Amino acid sequence: MTLFRSQLGALERAMAHATTYQEYQQACEAHDQLSGADDWKAKDPCRLYDYRLIRKRVQRIKLAQSQNDIHSLMSILHEGLHGNLGNIANPELLGHCKTGTKHLIEEFINQVVSALEHIYNADEAEVDFYDKLSFFEETAHSFGRSCLMLSGGAGLGFFHCGVVKSLNEQNLLPSVISGASAGSIIAAMVGTRTHTELLEALSAEFIYEHFQNWRLWAGLGRNSILDSRALENTLITLFDLTTFEEAYKKTGRHITVSVSPADLHQYSRLLNAKTSPNALIMQAVRASCAVPLLFTAVQLKAKTASGDIVPYIPNRRFADGSIMADLPIEGLSRLYGVNHSIVSQTNPLAVPFLSSSRTQAKTLSSITFRHLRQLVKANSIYAFDVMEQIVPNRSSKLAIHKVRSVIDQQYVGNINILPQKQLRNLMQVAANPTLKSIEDLIISGEKATWPQLDVIARNTRISETLRSMLRKLKAREARLFDHTPERIME
């Protein structure tokens, strides 16, 4: 028994000290084999998911496929395909192994992907092209898709580079990505650069070269504590006068930058290729990074058809996106059909209170604590609503409204990637970075992402297959009607 524990401990240390994802994954696989988790995966029955439903669905898909019954396949997938069928995405399943999951769940996902490929490649003498197109449009819409949301976090935002780097290297980067405050910088970098260009842009050397002096004191008697010129010059260098629509045409990624109004009676805005195609990414990011008091609020800009730069939403200024829309899941759901979120969370107001796991509370104490937390949040919101009505001063009303917005947000998603809760991390929030601190944050982001890569690959495989095939069918349709495929927005 002592030897067994020693071997498991050695493998856990190998995971903690792995320098590459391959090393980490090999240690996980060895741990599962030694711990008995592989035996657990091989057994279908489990109280954590409906294995009978999943087994029956696999059998039905296999039968229809073996008979080349395309219409039955389409019907089977139409009637019950969704991301958590039979509770297969239950986070508690992850606690039984270091990598992978029940073989039956993996077989179901493989079988669904195989069935989708079967339908896509079916002879169009039997299944009309427009029937295929309609099937993939409806199924992709009802199944939904995943997004990556990058939170605010000032100097801690470079942690996002490691998260994006890991996802990019494994080809798991979602096509819908949002960023707020510091997260908007990384989201914009992702949206304006190809897979290969990202490999260079996410290096510690590149980041340090551009952001080593983002914090410059403005001096006394100014409208903000920090001088924004260094940040503005960096953003111009990184994004030039690129618009959201131009970025989408280049990379095919839907990036969203959230900004908050600098006055009362306004709501946060999500800037992207759908809502604001001609808005300049550079100005949107600058606004999203404008933390109140630290940086001045920003007038957004747009590019006309003739190339002129003009004000966007005149007479309005915008500030830090994380104040009102750190993780804008509702907006992304409405705009892009998102129903599954991957969150890289570095907001110093949220991280100390969060856990990367989203398992349900089971013990009496955990249920009670969850309920008390909800009561405190509700009562705090009520108190700030009352104060906002009582306070006569407009500036005070605005400050109260902003604080209320910070409290009244959801700071977690379905999959959460968090930095380690260390005091030194807080020291980096408002400090100019060193090359070493950026390297440490990027490595920290990579290592925090590794345990989630297997889960992300599994949870997004069906939706990515649906979207990939839908894009190909729409491109064929565009050619039939002599449209330009790049202009077809998903």
Side-chain angles (χ1 to χ4, degrees), residues 78-205:
H78 248 318
E79 73 183 29
L81 185 61
H82 61 82
N84 197 21
L85 181 68
N87 209 23
I88 61 174
N90 185 351
E92 292 186 47
L93 287 164
L94 306 177
H96 291 264
C97 51
K98 297 297 182 182
T99 186
T101 187
K102 289 286 188 180
H103 292 172
L104 178 60
I105 294 175
E106 293 181 342
E107 183 184 11
F108 168 72
I109 294 170
N110 291 337
Q111 203 63 52
V112 169
V113 169
S114 175
L116 292 172
E117 292 171 347
H118 200 114
I119 295 168
Y120 176 81
N121 294 315
D123 189 337
E124 289 178 7
E126 298 179 20
V127 182
D128 182 74
F129 168 80
Y130 286 101
D131 287 340
K132 280 187 189 181
L133 180 60
S134 176
F135 166 79
F136 279 99
E137 282 182 328
E138 293 171 6
T139 308
H141 178 74
S142 61
F143 189 84
R145 68 199 305 185
S146 297
C147 69
L148 173 65
M149 296 189 287
L150 309 176
S151 76
L156 282 179
F158 301 122
F159 173 88
H160 299 317
C161 293
V163 175
V164 171
K165 185 169 179 280
S166 289
L167 293 171
N168 187 49
E169 288 174 348
Q170 300 300 318
N171 293 312
L172 292 175
L173 204 53
S175 57
V176 177
I177 302 164
S178 76
S181 198
S184 70
I185 298 174
I186 311 305
M189 289 174 66
V190 173
T192 54
R193 285 162 173 77
T194 63
H195 173 89
T196 305
E197 290 171 340
L198 266 182
L199 297 178
E200 177 189 354
L202 295 175
S203 68
E205 293 76 14

Side-chain angles (χ1 to χ4, degrees), residues 267-281:
Y267 296 95
S268 63
R269 287 181 179 267
L270 303 185
L271 306 173
N272 52 52
K274 284 194 173 186
T275 63
S276 47
N278 300 319
L280 298 185
I281 290 176

Side-chain angles (χ1 to χ4, degrees), residues 341-382:
S341 58
I342 304 161
V343 170
S344 178
Q345 179 57 267
T346 60
N347 193 318
L349 298 175
V351 168
F353 309 101
L354 301 179
S355 168
S356 59
S357 171
R358 290 205 69 181
T359 54
Q360 295 181 346
K362 288 185 174 182
T363 65
L364 181 61
S365 60
S366 62
I367 293 171
T368 302
F369 179 72
R370 182 187 64 186
H371 181 64
L372 289 174
R373 195 168 54 203
Q374 292 170 343
L375 282 176
V376 170
K377 180 177 180 178
N379 289 334
S380 299
I381 292 170
Y382 169 74

